[in-house]
Amino acid sequence: MSLKPLFALAAAATLCAISLPAQQPAPQPLTAMPYSPSLDPTSLDRSVDPCQDFYKFSCGGWQKNNPIPADQASWSVYAKLGNENQQFLWGILQEDAKAANRTPVQQKVGDYFAACMDTAAIDALGDKPIQPDLAAIDALKSRPELIAALTRLHHDTAGSYFFGARTGQDAADSSTVIVELSAGGLGLPDRDYYLKTDPKSVKLREQYVAYIQQLLTLAGESADAAKADADATLRIETALAKASLTRVQRRDPHNTYHMMTVAELTTLSPSIDWSGYFAAQGAPSLAKLNVSQPEFVKTVESELATEDLAALRGYLRFHLLAAAAPYLAHPYEQATFDFFSTTLRGIPVMPPRWKTCTRAVDRSLGEALGQEFVRRTFSADTKAKTQLMTEQIETAMQQEIEHLDWMSPATKQEALRKLHAIRNKIGYPDHWRDYSALEVKPNDYIGNVTRSYRFERARNWNKLGKPVDLNEWGMSPPTVNAYFSPQMNDINFPAGVLQPPLYDPKEDDAPNYGNTGATIGHELTHAFDDEGRQFDAKGNLRDWWTAEDAKGFEDRINCDRDQYAGYTIVDDIHINSKLTSGEDVADLGGTLLAYIAWKKQTEGQSLQPVDGFTPDQRFFVGMAQWACENERPENLRVSAVTNPHSPGFARIDGVVSNMPEFQKAFNCKAGQPMVHTPSCRVW
């Protein structure tokens, strides 16, 4: 439920400017964050009529001036800020890697970074760090031995072996942490990649098999054995894919909530000693758990019970290698990049090592690195102003709910109860995560990665039997993103997303409310989208809607679905609006709430035009320019299958074409593209 920005009136609008930029100076660590305004006139294309294509009007200049870097699948305002955040973190990490008299936090992030940057040491090791695990798989001579090995593999390694097991909030009782068994075991991004029969999909599966062979050969298998194992892996994964729910099906939380006893799970899959499995993971006296996809578990049982033993070993060997490859010697890292980044997403060049290592530290020590970031970038004034903006937008939401003509008083009462219970998390956690139990060494990169995985895994399994920590965050402070959690019933805005040009303390309220305000509104309305609305004020999965109100809601979001299904992403691929409708409705509702809050904030002020734009026009241009982006065609194809967000052009044109406030601001007339008929509106 994040706002992660992804993608012209045809697809051509997003496919411009993908040629490589002119030679630029090599990037350097930053000691201060660069500044970009939240409303940038140079990002406009004034040759475009805003009533014909507001996205192109607002972002055409940006698209022309910001070609996709060679190491990126796409480039956007969000990605550019994320890159700047990383460059700034690079400077922090270089300093922390070398400084004397370091704090414990500085020691851990600095040594993790130093170990990652030491590619000579990593390359010298080759694949020695995983040879014991590969040997253990090769030594599995019977089916019971192999099935029992899943317990250790899940506990000790990060690979995706058939299924996943973790802890999480109980959907029916959000105050309780339970065990969840989920579908898994796939190497491609989505189940659909295994099932589509078009030429591109067939070709991609052939390339995937070649990648599997490459990893297995690097690890010492003969060409014939690697080919047999690769074919078997694809066969096993295809069976798992057929049994998996689609992404649209998974949007309904009822489809992934099936509480069972361990005994009932055992009837689905008797080959696995589930009591022993969960005891080893950290739940020795487990009585019940959520089996998210029971039919999938039956397929896992069938594969484990009937598939050739050598094929199962090959599958396990590949998934172990695939998880470790990015952290091993260069040939492994390069093979993984070539398939997942170049073949799958069209990225021609591997990112520089500093970027890889900055991301690695953020992934494993996010709140340790986040302390260093927040201290240098996030002021008390920014936190106070964004907190005020959030409260104003929540007030606007209350007023909208109170005046809805399609919602009954009973449902309104429940909706307001939920709204008032939402908790706002802005900037960073109240209490930083304690990493003191995690050992980080300056000369042991894959060891650091492995210990971090096990540390995080133990931290999560240790939550069983304890109260839910309502102060926990799901993103690190430097992250350029935001999210709503339906079970926590909170909205979260890391410090990284509250930097210019997304939140600009030098600008006036119009573009800031258009940009950050619409983001806040977006996350807030996720509490009431097709998925979030099924959870109540306590974060419990409970139907609090009358049947008539639920139908009224569905009728209104179907208007959006029909509109967005008409947009083309790339080639002849249209938006899967059943997948994106939650984000599409949040975009529209969030912008409306931000507009209402901005009007209230500036009530009585004498607002004047700036750079030829009226205040209302500046609000909408500020709103549009967060979504400026360029995308590689390969990445657009991946996003069409996997991304619950619509492309950038649709996230802007789809919104403003349904807002009379926009049409009045730019004097758009009926019949023009930015005046959608019928007008869609939920909130």
Side-chain angles (χ1 to χ4, degrees), residues 139-196:
L140 301 172
K141 302 305 182 186
S142 69
R143 198 172 300 275
E145 283 182 355
L146 185 140
I147 294 171
L150 291 175
T151 297
R152 183 187 62 79
L153 286 168
H154 277 202
H155 186 276
D156 293 344
T157 72
S160 180
Y161 312 100
F162 289 104
F163 58 88
R166 66 183 188 93
T167 62
Q169 286 173 272
D170 186 348
D173 179 7
S174 64
S175 68
T176 303
V177 178
I178 61 171
V179 172
E180 300 174 340
L181 199 70
S182 61
L186 305 183
L188 290 170
D190 186 81
R191 68 182 293 279
D192 289 0
Y193 280 85
Y194 297 87
L195 309 179
K196 288 184 175 182

Side-chain angles (χ1 to χ4, degrees), residues 287-355:
K288 298 185 71 175
L289 72 154
N290 175 28
V291 180
S292 65
Q293 298 187 40
E295 292 302 313
F296 179 86
V297 174
K298 292 180 183 178
T299 297
V300 170
E301 171 67 18
S302 175
E303 290 297 303
L304 291 174
T306 63
E307 183 60 77
D308 182 74
L309 185 61
L312 292 172
R313 281 198 301 264
Y315 168 87
L316 294 180
R317 192 182 298 113
F318 163 67
H319 277 275
L320 175 72
L321 283 165
Y327 316 109
L328 294 174
H330 181 73
Y332 285 96
E333 183 189 21
Q334 187 70 56
T336 298
F337 177 86
D338 288 345
F339 178 73
F340 285 105
S341 296
T342 303
T343 299
L344 203 58
R345 296 183 180 273
I347 305 172
V349 175
M350 192 179 287
R353 190 66 186 178
W354 68 262
K355 193 177 291 187

Side-chain angles (χ1 to χ4, degrees), residues 71-73 75 79 82-83 86 89-90 93 112-113 116 327 337 341 347 350-366 369 445 476:
D71 67 333
Q72 300 288 324
W75 197 234
N83 188 72
Q86 287 175 1
L89 292 170
W90 179 20
L93 288 167
Y112 201 114
F113 181 76
C116 178
Y327 316 109
F337 177 86
S341 296
I347 305 172
M350 192 179 287
R353 190 66 186 178
W354 68 262
K355 193 177 291 187
T356 297
C357 294
T358 301
R359 291 170 179 165
V361 179
D362 186 44
R363 188 166 52 246
S364 293
L365 291 157
L369 184 57
Y445 179 47
S476 69

Side-chain angles (χ1 to χ4, degrees), residues 38 384-394 396 501-504 507-522 590-603 605 615 618-624 626:
S38 61
K385 286 182 177 178
T386 50
Q387 176 69 41
L388 173 63
M389 191 184 294
T390 304
E391 293 167 356
Q392 291 171 329
I393 289 168
E394 289 170 339
L502 301 179
Y503 179 80
D504 185 355
E507 283 280 10
D508 63 299
D509 288 328
N512 276 328
Y513 276 74
N515 190 322
T516 293
T519 301
I520 294 169
H522 172 107
T591 303
L592 175 63
L593 294 175
Y595 182 85
I596 293 169
W598 170 64
K599 284 295 187 182
K600 183 67 175 177
Q601 168 69 9
T602 57
E603 192 174 32
Q605 297 180 17
R618 296 182 74 247
F619 171 91
F620 286 107
V621 173
M623 182 277 291
W626 77 260

Side-chain angles (χ1 to χ4, degrees), residues 151 155 179 262 273-286 457 461 464:
T151 297
H155 186 276
V179 172
V262 173
D273 173 12
W274 290 107
S275 294
Y277 173 88
F278 289 120
Q281 308 311 316
S285 56
L286 184 67
R457 200 181 171 292
W461 282 86
L464 284 174

